[in-house]
Amino acid sequence: MKVIRTKTYEEMSYEAAKLLAAQIVLRPDCVLGLATGSTPIGTYDQLVKWYEEGNLDFSAVRSVNLDEYCGLDGENDQSYRYFMDHHLFNRVNIDKANTNVPNGKAVDPEAEGARYDELIASLGGVDIQVLGIGYDGHIGFNEPGPAFIKPTHMVELDPSTIEANARFFASADDVPRQAITMGMGGIMQARKILLIANGAGKKDILMKSLYGPITPEVPASLLQLHPDLTVICAVDE
Ligand code: GLP
């Protein structure tokens, strides 16, 4: 595990973008595992800047996103598909047909999970997976629980996650109660993992995840076992 502590959100975003850009330059048709939430926005902005300056080419890049809310389609401005289009895909020369987000409107979430895992396998796996972290240690939408769940699956969101994500909705009542998320298996199979965290409020859960016991009660703690984990964080006051 490599930990890079930065002083500011901007610096964290710059360092994270550097790793992703290096991956794209190294393998132009790489598979990026992408995340949503407020944390990666600056990273995506930096990638867009390099693209606009002519230094980064997304034309052959493929992507898979971690998760999606159940019941929301890509037109809904709270969906993660919309988030990705808005913050990254519409702003660079990526082929939208090569971008993948779980289908939140799937009638059979189990079949959708199986489809998504097969899709990731057919792409040859994820080269670098970006992760944020929830205040309860969730990654993607893998919530604390009695066991790590390996495949892409549907989850009931934790009340604390619903509350934390309510800031993006008109009210907590509007936050979907369920989501489809890549499982811990898919995440751990990525060849590289890049975990980013911002804000002093994330420090405790980050320390617990990286240095505490490995337990499904803290899903991110499993990352300790990944052979190529880079953590970039701006969590000091
Ligand atoms: C959501 C997403 C996670 C993300 C988390 C933290 O629950 N499913 O992938 O890491 O929010 O979000 P933020 O970066 O806004 O703190």
Side-chain angles (χ1 to χ4, degrees):
M1 168 169 60
K2 184 176 174 192
V3 181
I4 301 171
R5 287 171 94 137
T6 64
K7 287 202 170 59
T8 63
Y9 175 70
E10 289 69 28
E11 213 188 321
M12 180 210 79
S13 303
Y14 187 81
E15 291 300 322
K18 267 194 341 202
L19 277 193
L20 293 174
Q23 178 64 74
I24 296 169
V25 170
L26 211 61
R27 188 183 164 202
D29 63 345
C30 63
V31 178
L32 300 180
L34 299 175
T36 55
S38 54
T39 311
I41 292 176
T43 305
Y44 297 151
D45 285 343
Q46 182 61 58
L47 292 176
V48 170
K49 186 161 180 273
W50 285 328
Y51 163 72
E52 285 171 347
E53 289 168 355
N55 292 320
L56 213 47
D57 176 14
F58 288 79
S59 60
V61 169
R62 283 96 41 89
S63 74
V64 289
N65 258 78
L66 279 171
D67 48 11
E68 181 60 282
Y69 286 116
C70 286
L72 304 191
D73 62 32
E75 304 295 300
N76 187 306
D77 62 4
Q78 294 305 334
S79 72
Y80 284 167
R81 159 54 74 181
Y82 186 96
F83 175 102
M84 290 310 303
D85 285 350
H86 186 75
H87 287 288
L88 184 64
F89 301 153
N90 290 347
R91 302 166 71 200
V92 297
N93 66 333
I94 199 165
D95 179 350
K96 281 272 191 81
N98 288 336
T99 68
N100 301 281
V101 179
N103 176 10
K105 295 279 275 185
V107 277
D108 181 349
E110 207 173 309
E112 171 59 8
R115 180 197 72 84
Y116 206 68
D117 286 339
E118 278 159 26
L119 170 84
I120 295 170
S122 74
L123 295 175
V126 173
D127 288 301
I128 181 165
Q129 177 66 57
V130 181
L131 296 174
I133 184 168
Y135 290 102
D136 60 358
H138 74 247
I139 48 179
F141 269 132
N142 289 274
E143 296 280 21
F148 293 112
I149 302 176
K150 271 174 78 176
T152 298
H153 60 286
M154 197 183 84
V155 282
E156 299 289 332
L157 298 181
D158 233 56
S160 66
T161 300
I162 292 171
E163 199 186 312
N165 289 354
R167 66 202 143 116
F168 300 113
F169 292 79
S171 78
D173 288 341
D174 295 319
V175 184
R177 268 35 191 172
Q178 293 159 328
I180 297 183
T181 183
M182 259 167 76
M184 296 304 295
I187 292 172
M188 290 296 284
Q189 276 163 21
R191 288 184 268 284
K192 294 191 192 81
I193 293 185
L194 167 58
L195 174 65
I196 51 179
N198 175 56
K202 291 273 173 82
K203 191 172 183 174
D204 282 355
I205 191 61
L206 191 65
M207 296 302 268
K208 234 172 136 180
S209 302
L210 301 181
Y211 305 109
I214 297 171
T215 161
E217 293 301 337
V218 182
S221 64
L222 191 61
L223 299 176
Q224 291 179 38
L225 298 180
H226 195 278
D228 193 345
L229 169 67
T230 302
V231 183
I232 306 180
C233 56
V235 293
D236 297 306
E237 300 279 355

